[in-house]
Amino acid sequence: AIGGSLIEDALIGRFSIYKNSSDGYMENWTPTNGLREDTNGIDELTGKAHLRYFANEDHTIDFNYIFTDVDNGYDAFTLDNTRVSHADEPGRDTQKTNAFALKSTYDMSGSRLISTASYSASDMTYSYDEDWSYAGEFSDDLWPYSSFDEYNRERQQLDIDVRLISKENNRLFNGSTDWTVGAYFKDTQEDLLRNYTYLEGPFQSSFDTQSSALYGQLDTHMSDKMTLIAGLRVENWDATYGDSDSLMIDTDEVLLGAKAGLKYQLNSNLLLYTTLSRGYKPGGVNADNTLNDQAREFKTETLWNLDAGFNGNSADNRVQTRTNFFIGKRRDQQVKSSIVTVREDESTDFTDYLANAARATYYGLETQIDFYMTDNVLLYGSLGVLKAEFDTYEDPNPSAIDVNGRAPAHAPEYQYVIGWHYNLFGGFGFKAEVEGRDAFYFSNRHNAKSSAYNLFNAAIEYMNDDITVTLWGRNLTDTDYDVRGFGSFGNNPSNGYIVETYTQKGTPRTVGVTMNYNF
């Protein structure tokens, strides 16, 4: 990255480029290609440019451009849950994006006008070898199958946001209330082309959405220490879907979001707050023509959330804490579900989709603390505790299990980080930490779970003027843990396609060196 003044007192800029390449942590072996080490590899390139033009003392214009080129492999699952795949058609996970943004900030006598427009265009491909094996690996009497699935998406999005923000000399209600009003518009177009072995031909769909919203917020300073916050957002959501199977779905609805909050600055070292908010997540369509009509469309989800917490410093700023308690109710919760069916060739077909299956309740806390024991020793930690469960769960999949009262998928009850950083002599430093996560269900369709795990990370750092060199290691004990899984699913011809659990492994022990130079 490089940045600075381009035209004195008129134009500044920053330009950066990011490249990430790796052969990944999977190996792939087939008789045809032998051993490969890059089928789940990473190849990512991102370039960014930011220009800021000072038109005059009251007007600033920002321009941003981002280019992203991702060409990653996708070969993550195996029949024996190891890191050696036998897929003869490894998939891809790619994305090419060009994105632009233009922002104008104009200071007027009593308010500030901020206008933003952005546009992005993306081409994406996601594909995978569905059978996780190579042709000829299993004899014909075991009824093997060979299948490849590919999703190609073209997505364009336009966002426009205009907001007016008050200044101190233009507050409402006798100078006690800051205000913000704004209007927002978004237009998104996404086209899908799916090539799948078990379809008679390519499947195509188009999903176009438009969102128009008006919003506002009032921050009323009831005293020098207390501020009351009230916000409202009204949005019109319009979505149109059509596909090559002549399915048409048209949605037009008005959505409402709101919040009310209170902040209290008890003293210079302690801020207390609480917020009650209503949010929503618009509905959509499952673009998979193998699903029944009931499962093709899902509705808008709504959420009520109450949180309270504090941010504080103590012991002459040596102890810094941030803690938040929360509780919420979700209605028409959008959950990921799936259907498993047996094809005529005895193989298993797995289809996942989103459904409004549930109402749910959750509560918990998030807390973080930094404790500077001395000028050279820092202890730090963070903890997240979550208790979530389905109040009711009704899945359009008739074979779904009963998960009423159970935790949703990927909702561990705790996750934490505890660490220690010590500045040694001569610019050297040492850092060690433990991070952990509780067990969680892989899916709402079955009872397969991960195991709880703890990972140990450490680093030795050297700093000298503008140079920083870090020798680091993650998961130094090489703990074997799972981050994703399929349960109650048969995909292995050698055992008669019995139902079992397949998992994707987390990152193994990794060591490396990082060098920073500021010039």
Side-chain angles (χ1 to χ4, degrees):
I2 188 170
S5 177
L6 302 177
I7 301 177
E8 186 176 358
D9 298 328
L11 184 66
I12 60 176
R14 185 179 191 272
F15 308 89
S16 67
I17 188 167
Y18 169 83
K19 176 69 174 178
N20 183 21
S21 296
S22 168
D23 58 8
Y25 305 107
M26 296 287 293
E27 293 181 341
N28 176 280
W29 184 89
T30 63
T32 302
N33 298 315
L35 184 65
R36 298 176 59 188
E37 297 182 341
D38 61 351
T39 56
N40 203 46
I42 296 172
D43 185 3
E44 300 174 342
L45 174 68
T46 300
K48 297 181 180 180
H50 181 192
L51 299 175
R52 174 168 293 175
Y53 173 58
F54 301 95
N56 55 54
E57 61 180 10
D58 296 322
H59 192 193
T60 303
I61 299 174
D62 290 90
F63 172 78
N64 287 81
Y65 169 70
I66 297 176
F67 169 75
T68 298
D69 186 358
V70 174
D71 188 14
N72 296 338
Y74 186 75
D75 187 21
F77 285 90
T78 64
L79 294 174
D80 56 0
N81 289 334
T82 66
R83 297 185 189 276
V84 181
S85 163
H86 289 178
D88 56 2
E89 297 179 285
R92 308 300 302 170
D93 189 1
T94 72
Q95 175 180 340
K96 286 189 176 181
T97 295
N98 285 282
F100 309 84
L102 191 64
K103 177 181 178 182
S104 168
T105 304
Y106 185 60
D107 282 314
M108 298 179 286
S109 59
S111 59
R112 175 176 292 119
L113 179 65
I114 302 177
S115 306
T116 304
S118 63
Y119 173 80
S120 65
S122 300
D123 291 331
M124 298 168 284
T125 295
Y126 169 64
S127 60
Y128 57 92
D129 188 322
E130 191 174 42
D131 55 279
W132 306 342
S133 60
Y134 59 83
E137 182 171 2
F138 304 103
S139 59
D140 291 342
D141 61 329
L142 296 177
W143 296 92
Y145 78 105
S146 179
S147 174
F148 186 76
D149 205 356
E150 180 184 65
Y151 299 81
N152 299 290
R153 288 181 169 88
E154 294 183 0
R155 180 185 176 94
Q156 299 180 52
Q157 180 169 312
L158 171 68
D159 295 78
I160 299 174
D161 183 81
V162 180
R163 67 183 62 185
L164 197 62
I165 303 173
S166 67
K167 291 185 176 180
E168 188 172 355
N169 63 349
N170 196 23
R171 289 175 169 174
L172 300 175
F173 310 126
N174 296 321
S176 66
T177 303
D178 295 305
W179 51 267
T180 298
V181 295
Y184 175 75
F185 173 79
K186 179 172 72 172
D187 183 274
T188 304
Q189 299 177 7
E190 182 173 305
D191 296 323
L192 167 68
L193 173 64
R194 182 188 184 189
N195 297 305
Y196 182 40
T197 300
Y198 285 93
L199 294 179
E200 294 182 357
F203 172 77
Q204 299 181 63
S205 69
S206 177
F207 188 47
D208 300 334
T209 64
Q210 285 192 347
S211 169
S212 303
L214 297 174
Y215 61 89
Q217 180 169 311
L218 300 176
D219 294 0
T220 301
H221 306 282
M222 304 176 67
S223 68
D224 292 340
K225 295 184 176 182
M226 184 177 296
T227 302
L228 176 65
I229 301 170
L232 182 67
R233 178 186 179 93
V234 180
E235 177 177 344
N236 184 78
W237 171 261
D238 189 359
T240 303
Y241 172 86
D243 63 30
S244 54
D245 286 349
S246 301
L247 176 66
M248 297 291 295
I249 298 176
D250 195 349
T251 303
D252 191 350
E253 60 181 318
V254 176
L255 307 173
L256 180 66
K259 69 176 180 179
L262 194 64
K263 295 194 299 185
Y264 185 69
Q265 189 76 50
L266 184 63
N267 53 53
S268 60
N269 294 320
L270 183 60
L271 171 68
L272 308 174
Y273 65 88
T274 183
T275 304
L276 174 65
S277 59
R278 184 187 191 275
Y280 53 83
K281 184 191 298 183
V285 179
N286 294 298
D288 192 317
N289 60 339
T290 63
L291 294 168
N292 60 44
D293 291 344
Q294 187 180 3
R296 292 300 299 273
E297 184 179 8
F298 55 94
K299 301 179 297 184
T300 295
E301 174 187 345
T302 57
L303 161 72
W304 281 98
N305 184 83
L306 175 66
D307 65 329
F310 62 88
N311 299 337
N313 301 317
S314 59
D316 294 328
N317 287 328
R318 288 191 176 275
V319 180
Q320 303 173 5
T321 58
R322 291 163 292 280
T323 299
N324 181 65
F325 301 90
F326 57 86
I327 183 172
K329 285 279 191 180
R330 303 176 70 171
R331 183 183 179 94
D332 290 325
Q333 181 179 349
Q334 297 173 8
V335 298
K336 193 172 184 179
S337 187
S338 56
I339 295 177
V340 175
T341 56
V342 179
R343 304 186 184 101
E344 292 183 1
D345 60 4
E346 303 296 328
S347 63
T348 304
D349 182 29
F350 178 91
T351 304
D352 59 3
Y353 61 95
L354 289 172
N356 299 102
R359 294 187 183 186
T361 301
Y362 64 87
Y363 59 91
L365 70 88
E366 295 172 328
T367 186
Q368 181 177 337
I369 184 170
D370 295 326
F371 176 31
Y372 295 87
M373 295 182 62
T374 69
D375 292 340
N376 294 319
V377 179
L378 167 65
L379 297 179
Y380 61 91
S382 63
L383 173 66
V385 178
L386 173 65
K387 182 64 176 178
E389 66 178 32
F390 291 120
D391 300 327
T392 60
Y393 191 98
E394 297 178 1
D395 197 309
N397 176 9
S399 62
I401 66 172
D402 183 7
V403 296
N404 284 283
R406 204 187 80 172
H410 291 274
E413 289 195 359
Y414 68 81
Q415 47 192 331
Y416 72 90
V417 175
I418 299 175
W420 171 57
H421 190 279
Y422 182 40
N423 291 323
L424 301 170
F425 53 86
F428 283 92
F430 177 74
K431 177 181 179 181
E433 68 178 26
V434 178
E435 61 174 295
R437 176 172 293 192
D438 189 24
F440 56 86
Y441 291 101
F442 290 127
S443 170
N444 300 311
R445 186 183 58 82
H446 51 74
N447 291 315
K449 298 180 68 174
S450 71
S451 298
Y453 62 84
N454 303 286
L455 307 179
F456 177 65
N457 313 313
I460 298 175
E461 184 178 72
Y462 174 72
M463 300 180 64
N464 183 8
D465 296 329
D466 295 327
I467 298 177
T468 302
V469 180
T470 305
L471 172 65
W472 52 266
R474 294 187 56 81
N475 190 10
L476 288 175
T477 57
D478 203 20
T479 298
D480 192 28
Y481 64 103
D482 301 317
V483 295
R484 191 174 173 219
F486 294 99
S488 299
F489 176 56
N491 204 38
N492 191 348
S494 67
N495 59 22
Y497 295 106
I498 65 171
V499 171
E500 53 189 336
T501 298
Y502 303 101
T503 61
Q504 179 180 342
K505 303 299 181 184
T507 304
R509 176 170 50 227
T510 311
V511 296
V513 177
T514 300
M515 185 176 72
N516 258 1
Y517 179 62
N518 296 319
F519 54 90

